[in-house]
Amino acid sequence: MSVARLVSALQFCPGGCVFSPPARRDPAPSLQSRALNLLLGQLPYKQQLASAEAVQARVQKLALEPTSFEPTGLGRGVEATLTKMGGWPVYYTAPSSGHEGCNFVMFLHGGGFINEIVPAHWRFVGQMTRKAGVVCVVPIYPLAPRATAKDIVPATAELLRMLLEDAGPAKVTVVGNSAGAGLALAACQWLRDRGHRQPNRMMLISPAADASVSRPEQVEIASRDPIQDIPGIVEAGRLYAGELDVGHPFVSPLNGAFRALAPMTIFAGTRDLLYPDSVDLAERARAVGVPVELHLLRDQPHNYALMPTPEGRKARAIILREVA
């Protein structure tokens, strides 16, 4: 496993996410996973979230030098089409062999709401399209602070509502990682509150569910998290919140209602400083009758489900089976 592959995997989302405590018989992390944790600690991702000033510098740099959101690395057998919906660029990817009868995935990328979609995201979209034979819908939502939660959540929900209508009897799954997973949850709460249909399932990879990062235990967990740090996550959440309070359900969907939401599959591991939020998310959803699968792995880092490790490959296999 090359360093280049590991670094590429990290680009899914340098911003906030969520994890959970290990099951009693949770196996020890693989050798590749342990090596990855050591490597992560040597890379600059945590430094980028070490302070509010570091996040502000990142935002200013991206404002001057925006990164491309065009698809890169989808792989063979995948076609991409760009359209505009609600003023946003929206990509559709489909198997080159044809998409008649395909199910649908809406993919919402991570990045702490301040970072653009990256090639590693597109490779995962290409994998879902090719191996699961689905049509992926990928909104390129605007980033904070230029756009904030009060606009992004309703607009994302409206795109999902239109997809659900257009899909007819086909299955629609929402897949999000990190900030994108939090956005998926908030959008589904928005749909529910307005009486609209839910997707068939939410697949939430390290969901960013609470922007306050206010649990006392998170300070200790942050010392073990090789990617994230509390000050930067709080600042990114503040920028995304805009004129809303960071506790608003658009920003922190953990504070929203969970009744009548779509079934959820959550992937989490204990080296993410936000993992207690995933535990709460699962418990609150189950308490009101929402089916939840919570995949909790010991000593796994942020976004482990998309990492080039045995644990990551197993998680992706679950995702591919579910969306197909």
Side-chain angles (χ1 to χ4, degrees):
M1 180 171 57
S2 70
V3 171
R5 286 184 63 199
L6 289 170
V7 172
S8 174
L10 301 182
Q11 294 174 357
F12 277 109
C13 171
C17 300
V18 188
F19 279 58
S20 330
R24 182 171 295 178
R25 297 181 181 178
D26 188 24
S30 65
L31 178 61
Q32 294 97 318
S33 179
R34 283 178 280 170
L36 176 63
N37 278 326
L38 291 174
L39 176 61
L40 289 172
Q42 302 302 312
L43 295 174
Y45 293 104
K46 187 159 186 167
Q47 297 173 18
Q48 295 174 5
L49 292 170
S51 67
E53 292 76 17
V55 169
Q56 292 162 8
R58 172 69 176 169
V59 168
Q60 291 170 6
K61 179 181 179 181
L62 291 174
L64 295 173
E65 303 173 13
T67 55
S68 173
F69 55 72
E70 294 182 359
T72 302
L74 289 172
R76 294 182 179 180
V78 177
E79 296 179 351
T81 303
L82 173 62
T83 185
K84 280 210 168 185
M85 301 180 71
W88 293 3
V90 178
Y91 283 94
Y92 285 74
T93 66
S96 300
S97 57
H99 60 272
E100 194 69 29
C102 286
N103 291 321
F104 292 85
V105 168
M106 175 175 276
F107 177 72
L108 299 170
H109 72 84
F113 296 111
I114 61 172
N115 293 287
E116 191 55 87
I117 191 170
V118 296
H121 290 124
W122 285 120
R123 287 192 287 275
F124 179 53
V125 168
Q127 186 179 33
M128 287 191 289
T129 306
R130 182 173 53 254
K131 293 189 175 182
V134 296
V135 172
C136 287
V137 181
V138 186
I140 307 299
Y141 56 84
L143 302 174
R146 178 169 57 91
T148 60
K150 73 179 180 64
D151 300 312
I152 294 174
V153 170
T156 302
E158 184 62 20
L159 290 176
L160 179 55
R161 182 193 65 78
M162 290 189 288
L163 173 59
L164 288 163
E165 286 188 357
D166 292 344
K171 181 167 68 175
V172 176
T173 307
V174 181
V175 179
N177 77 290
S178 190
L183 177 57
L185 180 57
C188 286
Q189 290 171 339
W190 189 96
L191 288 177
R192 184 271 322 281
D193 290 345
R194 286 152 185 81
H196 298 302
R197 171 189 166 190
Q198 289 284 295
N200 294 81
R201 181 170 285 270
M202 285 186 269
M203 308 293 287
L204 305 178
I205 301 167
S206 301
D210 184 355
S212 72
V213 200
S214 56
R215 299 172 186 268
E217 63 268 32
Q218 288 175 310
V219 175
E220 187 277 327
I221 300 166
S223 68
R224 297 185 284 107
D225 187 324
I227 298 177
Q228 304 176 108
D229 213 344
I230 293 173
I233 295 175
V234 169
E235 177 63 11
R238 184 188 70 82
L239 294 175
Y240 178 58
E243 64 188 46
L244 298 176
D245 186 90
V246 294
H248 192 286
F250 281 10
V251 184
S252 299
L254 186 62
N255 296 330
F258 291 91
R259 57 177 177 76
L261 289 178
M264 303 177 196
T265 301
I266 306 168
F267 297 92
T270 61
R271 278 188 179 261
D272 186 321
L273 67 88
L274 300 180
Y275 82 77
D277 298 334
S278 278
V279 178
D280 271 3
L281 171 57
E283 290 177 349
R284 294 183 193 187
R286 286 171 176 156
V288 292
V290 175
V292 179
E293 293 180 13
L294 182 55
H295 296 267
L296 314 175
L297 292 186
R298 174 159 54 102
D299 282 339
Q300 293 304 307
H302 167 66
N303 231 18
Y304 90 85
L306 299 177
M307 297 288 185
T309 59
E311 294 87 351
R313 287 188 286 274
K314 182 177 179 180
R316 291 192 295 279
I318 293 170
I319 295 170
L320 292 174
R321 286 197 302 269
E322 187 59 46
V323 304

